[in-house]
Amino acid sequence: MATALRAQLAKIAANSSNALNLKAQKAAHSQSLIFEPQVAASQTFDTLYAICIEGFQELCQLDKRYAEFSRSIFSEQSKIQERNQLTPALASELNRVLEDFLGLVASRILLKPALKALEWLIRRFKVHQENTSFLLLTFLPYHGCPIFRTLLSILPPDIPRAFKFLHPYIKSLANPPLEAIVKATVGNKALATALNSHVLKMSESLLHHSALLSFWASVMTQALSGMLDLTRSGRQALRTQGEEDVLLKILPTLNEGLTIEKVPELKIGCYMLLIVLASKVSLGNKVLSGMIETVTIRWTAETLDPALKCIAILVQGEEKVVLSPRVIHNFLKVENLIQKLSALSQQCMVSSLMYALLENITNKPQYFRDPKGINLVLQVLESSILDQSQTYNSIKGILLASLSFEVVAEDSVVSRDQLSDMLVRIASADEFSDITRQVINDTGIDVDHLEARLQTLILPAEEPNLMEIEPADLTNIAVQETWDDALENLSDTLEGVPNLLSAPKSDAFNGLLHAFLLAVQSPEHLGLFDQHPALRQERVLEEPFYLSFYIRVWSGNYPILARASALMLTSKFLRSLENCQSDFQVLLPYLSIALSDTSPKVRHAAAELLATLFGIFKSQRNMQNLVHWGANFLCTVPDSAKPVELLPTEDIAKIIGAVFIPCIEECKLDESHITKAITSSLTGKSMEEKATETKKLRSSLRLAFMTFLCSHIASSKLYVVKFKLLKIINKVDRVGTVSRTKLLLPIVEHWASLSQAEANNVLSAEHVNLEDFEEQVMAIAASNDPQGLQLLHSIISSQGHPKRPTLTKAALKRISNLWPRLKTEPRLSTANFLLDFSLIPGLDSDMQDSQGEALEVLRGAKLKSEILLSFLEGLPNLLESVESSPAAKKRKTGHNEMVPLNLQNGEFSSSIRRVTLVLDLLDSSELEVSFELLGSLFRLLGSLQHLREKIDSEMAYLQSIILGNMLAIIKAFQESNKQKFEPSAVRADILIECLRSTTSPQVQNTALLLVASIAKLAPDLILHNIMPVFTFMGSAVLSHDDEYSIHVIDQTISQTIPPLLKSLRKQNRSIVLSVAELLLSFVAAYEHVPSYRRLRLFTKLIEILGPEDFLFAVIAMLVHKFPSDPAVEDFVVQLSVSFGIRIQLFTASKYLILIEDALKPVHEISQQLLHLNQDDQPQGESAALQLLLVLPKLLASSPSTSQTIIPPEVDVLTAEIRALHSKILEVVLCAVDVAKDRPHLREAWSNSLQALLSLLSISEFISSVQDLLKSSSNIQVHRKLLRALELRIRQSNQVDSPSRNLILEFLSALPTVIENSEDILLIHAAISCADQISEKFGKKDPDAVLIVASTISGKKGLGSEDDSLSILSILALASMTEVLGEGIIPVLPQSIKQAFEKLEASLQCLETNQKLHDGVFSFVETLLVHIPWIISGPYLDSLLNILTLCVRVDFDAESNETRNHVFQILAEKVAAKECFSALERNWDLASEAGSTALKDFLNILDLALETHPKSAISRNTGTLKNIFFKAFDLRRVAGSDLYDLDQDIPEIESLTADAAIKMIYKLNDATFRPLFVDIVNWASKGISKKATTERISRLISLFNFLAVFFSSLKSIVTNYAKDILPIAVENITPSTPAPLISAILTTLSTAFEHDQDEFWQTPTHFTAIQAPLLALLSSTPSPLLISSLAALGVAADSSTHHKTLNTALLGLMRAHSGATRLAAVQTQHALTHRLGEEWLGMLPEMLPGIAEVLEDEDEAVEEAARAWVVEVEAILGEKLSGLL
């Protein structure tokens, strides 16, 4: 029965709900975000609105968008608006408004105004129930905040399925971690969809906020990754399907998110999701291209960088990426795209993106012709981000695209030129040249053809036969026509031009060049061009026009094919000459240019021409007869300053044979070899390559050759020739006594005379780079030529020359290059020139830039000491420049006053600028050991010090540089050890004065380091000034909080203090007293030193001073300086424990000596260290007390580690440590006795003694305690000893056996201490000590513990009149009970009795003694746990009596909880019989105490019934019956002064019913039915019927119980109704009081509802109950009665019974009373509703009655009838109007 009954009840409880339950409504109203439930439940909507509207108004001030809600959900009307009464349309509109407000307020949820506004939505509109999903989505970004836990606590039980993952956190009221949300999103599609939709909706409405978007991005990126990971398992088809499903879920969100404007954070989040997709899924090219296009279309300035990163990751690893034209167009619109991508490369790989861009641009002609596209391609390559493979493919694509570009001929000139420039830059770059050559070789691109078509120079491919020109495969008609046109344009109009080398700009040359460039593409055309009359080949020996054209071509910057062809045609022409009598030596400089060409093809052709030329010379038998070819034309150039100096033919032949011919093969392979060969021949030095050694020339011939080359350079009108020859000749400084500068200086002067525009024009015409050319021109000036240096100076200063910034830059660069080779005098003069030039004021911006460059040259040069010394000695006198100014003279006073001066005069500003610059140069130089320099710096520092007294300026920067340079010189001296230190160079007085007067931390630090360094070298210079240094440190530097200052302090201390101590020891002075002032400086600075640096600083100081001598002094001074400062006390303890045990004890010994000195009438040491007056004894006592208060901590332990000075495990001390300890102990013991009459000192000494004793191991400590307890009569000392022992035992985790035995032996002595002492505190300490020993070691000696327990329970312990001692005794007995268990029984009778008596006495006096209360109940709890049977009989009665007394005293919640916990244990542990009997015996006491006591009794009863077994319950049914009788009889006997009949009695009856149900669960039917009958008889027959009121009270209690009984046990106990049926019938009368009628009807309704055994179908039962119910309906109808009759109709499932009921009701419908008619109609309606068609089977009988009531004169009856008719029609599905 019990099992089935329990199952049915559990099912009912799970499904039960009561919307009309006032408690439930109150609980719902108490659900709040900001108020406690108790407070919220008591608030009205008016009160709540006043609070919440304040928050809403504050929100309106923050954002005007909130104002619109003031007319709806925050209006006055909202206070009375019920949400459940709105129409669907209004409800939908309300939902929209509420969601709009939630979205708007979401960003401010953590603000108090927002929480107040949300409170109104929750309390008034129930958004947590009606809008749960939206509210949770609003709060989810704050899932880690406390407010989210509050939200979880008010959520309804049936939250939406998407949020089911919150159930565990709702139960535990814990914040869900982000990992849980991510995991739920992975597995819960509904949650992911809801979150995505919410974010998109908020973003579209511009209600987004950063917390929401960052939360969404974080969750969805991790969730998307998790979703994709789940698809990795299974077959390939399943994996593919899974990936597609994920894409279908997420891509719509991404597409919509990327299209939303003005929400950059959303786009960034979408980029993150795209990155996850790219990293997890292999996307097709089409999908990838679509994603990229979507990103680029919608990107903005804010999202550009994240978008680029996203695209870079998307394309990473893809072999080929096709970008649409729209994407490329969007990329080209981005400014500084490559710079952005380069910066992004630090975060991710961008090479794939850049390569994709380059590849797509080169493959699409419309973008490759676009200048922007070409520029982007070049920038991609030059960014150096592409890997080698990508670079190779990129260059290959560019070259192939360039060929295609050529095929589509008629493009704009700008695009062609830009493409040409790009190809040149690529081919000439070091990192691309080899790759370009490899591409050309691999693809077979005709570079010559490409060069000719683009008219530019491109790095050539290596041809297999460099000496032959392969015919170009050019067959298109356009080229042929161009050549024909060019050939026709060549005419004889060139007769007036003698040669083409005389002018840089020549229309004749340009015309020929155009035709020549077209001709070189075809050998046939080339032959035609060479033989054309316009070239005048036949007159070549008479005029140089023919050869001058080819010379200019191969010497210029023209296509390789053109240069090589010119050389070959010249060679061919010379070979064609027969019996040539001409000397062509003028070709040699130009051949040198060709041999240094970068193209191997050109160098091969030049070598062939050189061999041909040398053959001509060798073929001549008599060289003296040869005519110098070109001497009249090429060598005498018009407007030339000097003609070209030609060499004798024999000499030139020797030069060619000795210099050029031996290395001709090497020149073909190496473009630089000809330069090396010429340089070697001119200098007479051997070349590095021994295998190609040239023949040496005699000195005269070398000079002639040098002059020959230089004259060509000077005379040539072609700057490209000058440039290329200068690159060769500038490698040679001089030949013999003639320098290069002397020969070429006119070139420099001429070039310097040109304006900037002229220089640009002449070089641009010949395609020569200005910067490179000027570098070669300036390189003419050599280091050994003063004239050249002077010219450089004049160019830099623009004296006699136009201002040319580029030329000035080149001159400065030349000086920088010459600097290492300059001798002392030129270097010194150049340095002074650069310094003077850089300081010239008033120059224009270009010259100012030049000044900056000159200054950089100086800074980059290695300045020797003599130069720096020259700079310093040349500095002006700053003081004189100030005093000589007019403003200074006007400000002079007659009283030596310091008046700030006006420093704006030019002379002073110029002087300051020069000083600053010189010092900067000094600071950036590597200083050598120079005492002259050191002396100058000290003098300058002194000058600055005097200047500071005159002007209102710190000048810290200059001081810092001077000091830093001094320090560098001193350090250089320390490292060198090569010179003797010169003290005369040091001015210590100036240094100390600077240190004391400055406020700059940098100056202070540097000065201190300098002081420290000098002190190490020459201590005598510093020692007499040392104290001001440390005084300054204490006031300034020690407070600095940076690593450099720490280093400075360490260096100063470590380098200055040792010499000081050494000096003091030599003088036989007390070093401690002598450096007291030094120590005081550090002590005074203690509070200014950052806390984390103090320990390191003072430890360093003491280590250097010597801890044996100074540790005690520093500690004492700190304690005295900062008395009663806990931080200082902790610090000195940390400082002490930083040293070893011996040092600490030695320090303590000296510390005690100092204390004793302070206590003497006349002070000695303390006077010096603590600054005490010599004979001021009160002051000395005060200081001693301060020191004494810290001594225990010094002797005890570190507060951070709790480790004693002498570790407990060290039992055998060294002799020295033991001696020190004994000495200290002797001093402290003597001091304790001496200080008897001075309480404060005595207590301080006692504390020190206690700490001192704590230093010993526990065994030695106990021995010492025992000895002192016997030898000393000082009770205070005894107390402290016992306290110290207690603490030691508490801290002792592991104790060896001998120590444990000693402790237990001491425990046996404690009862004597307790019994013989009258001092409460001593007894307190003894009991605490005994308690601790018993807890730790009591189980090893139970007898000793029992003896102590007996003593504690006596009059000196538990029996003491002192409450604190009694409480301590109770707690000690509780812990001893845990140790002894049943062994403590001999002590318990007395102990329990005294404990209960003390608590009862306290409670009877209404005293709130919580400690006694908690102590007694802790004792009882221990007894119940270990000896539960001891609490029985009188003890249990006393305990329940105490419970009744406790309710009258106001204890705190913790005490109440303790007491309730004890009674819970009592209900579980005490035997059922004892427990139930005690409750029965003491029930009356509880009843007299009031409802609280009875509730406690019922709680005990309830728990006992629940925990004890069925057998125990069955055996005690008699006792339980009596208890329930008393409980149910409370309504009759309770007085209104103790009980609230409307609240207390129902609550108690409810608790009684619950307990009774638990009892019933454990009884069978045979046991319970007699008990049930007794209860019924007790209520109905136990009191005479005459005692009407008393009997009614019992019956009300009975039927209230029966309602619970039938409701809980349902159909199982329906047949029990026969026992109560007579009583119910008897009392269902009009005269019965309403409470009883209500109780009876409730019980009957419950019985009717759960009748499954046809009990009420039995005619006797039905007839017996229906008659009184119908009679009652006619007299006193009520809704409960109507529902009871309806329930009876359902239970009486019989047509006969139904007809009986119907007949009676139809009769009542015709009653005279309108109330009766109304009740009858309502009953009919209820029966119709409950039974439906089954009841309407009697409709024919009802119709007349229905017709009558429809026309009833009572409107209420008529309205009820119409409602009944509607119900009937709804069931029948047809109208009754036709039947009526």
Side-chain angles (χ1 to χ4, degrees), residues 1415-1443:
V1416 170
F1417 277 101
S1418 296
F1419 182 36
V1420 174
E1421 180 181 358
T1422 306
L1423 292 174
L1424 288 171
V1425 171
H1426 296 280
I1427 323 172
W1429 53 266
I1430 201 70
I1431 303 297
S1432 60
Y1435 294 150
L1436 191 53
D1437 291 340
S1438 298
L1439 197 57
L1440 292 175
N1441 182 39
I1442 288 172
L1443 173 61

Side-chain angles (χ1 to χ4, degrees), residues 1278-1344:
H1278 292 184
R1279 293 200 305 263
K1280 292 187 178 300
L1281 289 171
L1282 293 176
R1283 293 292 186 193
L1285 178 59
E1286 176 194 355
L1287 180 62
R1288 288 293 300 275
I1289 293 173
R1290 182 179 291 115
Q1291 295 174 347
S1292 300
N1293 295 324
Q1294 295 181 352
V1295 177
D1296 56 14
S1297 181
S1299 298
R1300 184 173 60 249
N1301 293 336
L1302 196 61
I1303 293 171
L1304 292 173
E1305 182 182 345
F1306 183 78
L1307 177 63
S1308 301
L1310 286 176
T1312 305
V1313 176
I1314 296 171
E1315 292 174 352
N1316 295 337
S1317 176
E1318 299 297 332
D1319 185 78
I1320 298 296
L1321 295 179
L1322 178 59
I1323 297 174
H1324 198 287
I1327 293 175
S1328 298
C1329 186
D1331 183 18
Q1332 194 62 41
I1333 294 174
S1334 301
E1335 183 179 346
K1336 286 270 187 178
F1337 312 106
K1339 291 186 178 181
K1340 298 294 182 180
D1341 191 355
D1343 295 337

Side-chain angles (χ1 to χ4, degrees), residues 445-621:
I445 295 175
D446 191 341
V447 179
D448 296 337
H449 167 59
L450 188 57
E451 286 180 346
R453 299 304 297 271
L454 295 178
Q455 297 188 9
T456 188
L457 300 175
I458 304 174
L459 185 68
E462 295 181 357
E463 300 289 345
N465 185 357
L466 297 173
M467 299 303 295
E468 297 181 5
I469 301 177
E470 296 293 336
D473 186 15
L474 298 174
T475 59
N476 64 74
I477 298 174
V479 173
Q480 185 68 36
E481 291 177 350
T482 305
W483 161 250
D484 292 340
D485 295 339
L487 192 64
E488 290 178 3
N489 292 332
L490 290 177
S491 62
D492 296 333
T493 57
L494 303 174
E495 283 293 332
V497 181
N499 70 77
L500 298 173
L501 299 178
S502 59
K505 294 183 179 181
S506 171
D507 294 335
F509 174 75
N510 291 336
L512 287 172
L513 178 64
H514 176 65
F516 182 65
L517 290 177
L518 294 174
V520 296
Q521 300 179 34
S522 168
E524 180 184 355
H525 297 165
L526 192 61
L528 293 174
F529 176 85
D530 186 57
Q531 299 297 324
H532 197 279
L535 290 176
R536 292 172 263 171
Q537 182 185 127
E538 69 280 0
R539 294 161 52 187
V540 69
L541 297 180
E542 290 79 18
E543 60 177 279
F545 184 85
Y546 172 77
L547 289 181
S548 69
F549 171 73
Y550 289 135
I551 291 173
R552 184 163 182 174
V553 170
W554 86 57
S555 300
N557 294 322
Y558 304 110
I560 294 172
L561 191 59
R563 301 201 303 273
S565 298
L567 286 164
M568 286 186 288
L569 290 174
T570 303
S571 178
K572 178 181 178 183
F573 169 76
L574 291 180
R575 287 197 303 270
S576 67
L577 295 176
E578 298 179 358
N579 299 320
C580 178
Q581 297 298 313
S582 298
D583 179 357
F584 290 96
Q585 64 175 283
V586 295
L587 298 180
L588 191 58
Y590 303 101
L591 278 173
S592 300
I593 294 173
L595 287 172
S596 65
D597 197 284
T598 57
S599 170
K601 181 183 288 187
V602 175
R603 295 198 299 274
H604 276 74
E608 182 183 357
L609 176 56
L610 180 65
T612 302
L613 181 62
F614 186 63
I616 293 175
F617 284 115
K618 287 179 64 178
S619 64
Q620 302 296 328
R621 296 180 179 178

Side-chain angles (χ1 to χ4, degrees), residues 22 147 152 162 326 394 476 506 554 573 583 641 698 811 890 1144 1209 1240 1250 1297 1301 1314 1380 1494 1511 1557 1569 1584:
L22 294 178
I147 190 63
L152 293 179
R326 192 173 186 181
S394 299
N476 64 74
S506 171
W554 86 57
F573 169 76
D583 179 357
R698 66 180 185 276
K890 292 179 181 180
Q1144 293 177 62
E1209 62 271 14
H1240 296 298
Q1250 179 182 349
S1297 181
N1301 293 336
I1314 296 171
L1380 297 177
L1494 274 184
S1511 58
I1557 295 299
R1569 187 173 289 275
S1584 172

Side-chain angles (χ1 to χ4, degrees), residues 111-128:
L111 299 179
K112 285 186 177 180
L115 290 177
K116 289 182 179 179
L118 285 170
E119 178 75 3
W120 182 245
L121 269 62
I122 287 172
R123 303 285 294 280
R124 176 70 273 181
F125 299 105
K126 305 297 181 185
V127 291
H128 61 300

